[in-house]
Amino acid sequence: MARTSGPETREKLIRAAEELFAAQGVHGAQLRDVVARAGQANPSAVQYHFGSRAGLLDAVMAGRQARTEAVLAPLLESTDDDLKGLVTALVTAEASELRTERGRRCLRISAQLSHESGVRARTPHPALAGTAYWRLIERIADRLAAAGLPEPLLLERLDLALTVVGAALADRARQYLAGTEPLTGEALFLADLAETTTALLRAPRPEPADHRKDSS
C-alpha cells in the first residue's frame, strides 16, 4: 500500500469528519469511525494530527470559513450600512456553501455551533476575530443600536437572526444531500430568507409584559 503524506492524511480525516459530523452530529460521531472512513489504520490518527475532536472540528470549520470569507469580503466592500443589504450579503455568502456536497455538509455542521460565535458577549470566537464575517456582525449590530434597541436585546436578537439563517441553510443543505425536492426554488428561498431575517431584526422594541397581580 502506498504511504500518504501528513497533509494528505489530514485532508482525508477532515473530509471524513465532514461526512460523519454532518450525518451523525458533531458530538455523536465516533472518532474511530472518522479514522476508518479516512482509510487510516492508526486508531489515534485524529489525536496525532489534530490533538482532539475539537482540533479536528476547528480544521473542518477553518476550511468552511475560508470559502465563505472569499465570497463575503468583496460583498462587504460594496455594501452600505442598509440593514437589508447587510443581511443579504450574509445570506449570499453563507448560501455559497450550497453549491457543493462538501459545503452542504459544512452548513449542517456549523448550524450545530451557531451559539459559539461570541455574539452574545460581543467578543468574537478566536477563529472569527478580524474576519469579514465579524465585521458584518458589528455593522448589523450598529444598525440595531441606531434603531434604539438596548444592548442586551440587540445581542439576543442578532444571535437569534444568525441562528435562523444557519438553521434554514442547514435544512436546505439536508434536502439537497437527501435528494428531496424543496418547496421553493433556491432564488426565492434565499430572497425570502433575507427578507424574513431583516424583518426579524427590524421588529419594534416590545413593551415588557406587566406581571403585577391585579389588585382589585
Side-chain angles (χ1 to χ4, degrees):
M1 178 184 294
R3 297 185 65 183
T4 57
S5 68
E8 283 182 285
T9 300
R10 281 177 58 89
E11 182 63 16
K12 287 180 179 179
L13 289 166
I14 289 170
R15 292 287 190 133
E18 288 170 353
E19 291 183 34
L20 293 177
F21 286 171
Q24 300 174 13
V26 167
H27 303 293
Q30 299 296 311
L31 292 185
R32 64 175 178 271
D33 294 334
V34 172
V35 171
R37 179 68 61 91
Q40 302 304 302
N42 180 359
S44 300
V46 168
Q47 286 77 6
Y48 177 81
H49 288 279
F50 302 99
S52 64
R53 176 188 296 267
L56 176 58
L57 180 59
D58 285 346
V60 169
M61 288 294 96
R64 182 252 200 273
Q65 181 179 316
R67 294 190 300 272
T68 304
E69 283 280 299
V71 177
L72 181 58
L75 285 176
L76 203 55
E77 290 292 325
S78 60
T79 302
D80 61 22
D81 283 333
D82 171 71
L83 186 59
K84 183 180 176 183
L86 293 170
V87 172
T88 299
L90 169 69
V91 170
T92 300
E94 295 287 285
S96 64
E97 287 287 85
L98 289 172
R99 302 277 61 77
T100 66
E101 285 201 5
R102 184 176 201 179
R104 294 166 188 170
R105 293 189 182 104
C106 285
L107 284 171
R108 297 200 66 196
I109 296 168
S110 57
Q112 302 172 51
L113 310 172
S114 62
H115 294 297
E116 297 183 14
S117 64
V119 168
R120 286 175 178 259
R122 208 158 187 172
T123 302
H125 184 282
L128 296 178
T131 62
Y133 183 80
W134 192 259
R135 292 197 300 275
L136 174 63
I137 287 173
E138 288 290 340
R139 286 171 66 176
I140 293 174
D142 288 345
R143 296 312 305 148
L144 298 179
L149 284 182
E151 184 85 352
L153 181 58
L154 180 160
L155 295 176
E156 283 193 339
R157 188 176 291 188
L158 179 53
D159 189 57
L160 175 60
L162 294 172
T163 299
V164 167
V165 170
L169 289 171
D171 186 61
R172 190 79 175 196
R174 177 193 60 77
Q175 293 175 69
Y176 286 177
L177 288 167
T180 303
E181 184 69 26
L183 291 173
T184 58
E186 187 172 299
L188 177 58
F189 164 74
L190 295 178
D192 188 60
L193 181 58
E195 288 280 4
T196 302
T197 305
T198 302
L200 185 159
L201 291 170
R202 282 181 175 161
R205 176 181 175 177
E207 291 298 325
D210 188 350
H211 294 295
R212 291 175 300 177
K213 292 183 179 180
D214 186 356
S215 58
S216 59

